[in-house]
Amino acid sequence: MSESMNFGTLWWDGKITPWADATIHVTQIGTASVSSVFEGIRAYLNPMTNELNIFQLDAHLKRFLQSLRLVRLECEYSHADLHDAVVSLVRDNNPDRDVYIRPFGYAESRTFGAATDPHAHVIIHVTDWDSKLKTDSVSHSTVSSWTRLSDNQMAPRVKASANYLNSRYASEEAKRNGYDHAILLTPQGKVAEGTGMCLMLVRDGKIITPSVTSGILESITRETVIQLAREALEVPVIERDVDRTELYTADEAFFCGTGIEVVPIVTIDRMKLGDGAPGEISKRMQSCYHDVVRGIETRYEEWRTVVGNQ
Ligand code: PMP
């Protein structure tokens, strides 16, 4: 996201606030980040209507409130309040391109470890982040030497900022060794997910993906892709434990997530999947996902919150 640009205002504890005025004291940075959860939502411009489609807004807000509840932070805003906040913030900034929307809930704290004030402050901000769906972006991935977090430790189901140190270790190691992305295994040695994305394998015409009890974030894109695979692509999907060696024997594989969207994996630990080019099912999914998120495909309108141009 290094090239991202911020827009003029953000939403902070109920108010649309000028970007430059939204500051907290520098000493809060570390402690507030430990007790915090967040969401990442994309909004895509429909090229035909020029309207923005916020993709899966309600599913993201549901997970945001669930994350806050699981870390026992108290949020004074309802789902409906947050929905209105996102829509009014997007309207206020009136972007003419695809954007990324990040709700962030945090508690003020003077210490790193102790649960002090449970009151959640909420910030929502908008930046731009170009889609790579119509590019030929691919991933050369590696199995990480780091292990994925687990449920009774730092629950991957909770989208807590602190969980992302696990992702950082794996991602830094992968990049240092010349790969694009890391794939993390659970403490039991089963495949979990990437550092900010879920993983789908294709074997013998079927999609196989680790189940929601495999140390993964309950990804909204994963659910979307599963439904699209079954309904739109007519490809069966199996959710189950996945062994490491299944990664190497897959005909094709792809990552999915709000940020990464749908990206074909062409090698894992330098072993080619199929012939080392993006597979047919991965390409079909990428194209289908593109049309659905932008509203070019008119079905699945319940997934899109349309914000018109003023
Ligand atoms: N796993 C992790 C660890 C993530 O951070 C993300 C990105 N939110 C995903 C999976 C994909 O989740 P989603 O499809 O809901 O964005």
Side-chain angles (χ1 to χ4, degrees), residues 63 148 159 164 193 195-198 217 219-221 257-258:
R63 191 173 65 187
R148 184 68 180 132
K159 200 162 165 61
Y164 286 80
E193 60 179 344
T195 53
M197 53 271 196
C198 284
L217 180 73
S219 151
I220 291 154
T221 318
T258 301

Side-chain angles (χ1 to χ4, degrees), residues 52-119:
L52 266 183
N53 293 273
I54 308 177
F55 193 61
Q56 295 277 26
L57 174 60
D58 286 316
H60 281 283
L61 293 178
K62 186 174 169 203
R63 191 173 65 187
F64 183 60
L65 290 169
Q66 176 184 284
S67 293
L68 283 166
R69 206 166 69 85
L70 286 169
V71 296
R72 295 183 187 255
L73 289 182
E74 289 163 13
C75 182
E76 67 191 271
Y77 306 105
S78 66
H79 186 118
D81 294 337
L82 295 173
H83 181 109
D84 290 350
V86 169
V87 170
S88 50
L89 182 67
V90 170
R91 283 228 165 87
D92 194 62
N93 286 287
N94 198 18
D96 58 0
R97 53 191 174 279
D98 297 346
V99 292
Y100 184 65
I101 302 158
R102 170 158 291 167
F104 183 78
Y106 67 97
E108 282 178 16
S109 172
R110 296 184 60 174
T111 66
F112 278 98
T116 47
D117 185 359
H119 175 253

Side-chain angles (χ1 to χ4, degrees), residues 85-147:
V86 169
V87 170
S88 50
L89 182 67
V90 170
R91 283 228 165 87
D92 194 62
N93 286 287
N94 198 18
D96 58 0
R97 53 191 174 279
D98 297 346
V99 292
Y100 184 65
I101 302 158
R102 170 158 291 167
F104 183 78
Y106 67 97
E108 282 178 16
S109 172
R110 296 184 60 174
T111 66
F112 278 98
T116 47
D117 185 359
H119 175 253
H121 296 274
V122 178
I123 303 173
I124 307 170
H125 77 265
V126 183
T127 60
D128 58 358
W129 192 2
D130 289 342
S131 168
K132 291 219 167 75
L133 279 170
K134 282 281 163 179
T135 69
D136 49 13
S137 156
V138 294
S139 173
H140 296 275
S141 297
T142 182
V143 174
S144 185
S145 72
W146 297 98
T147 299

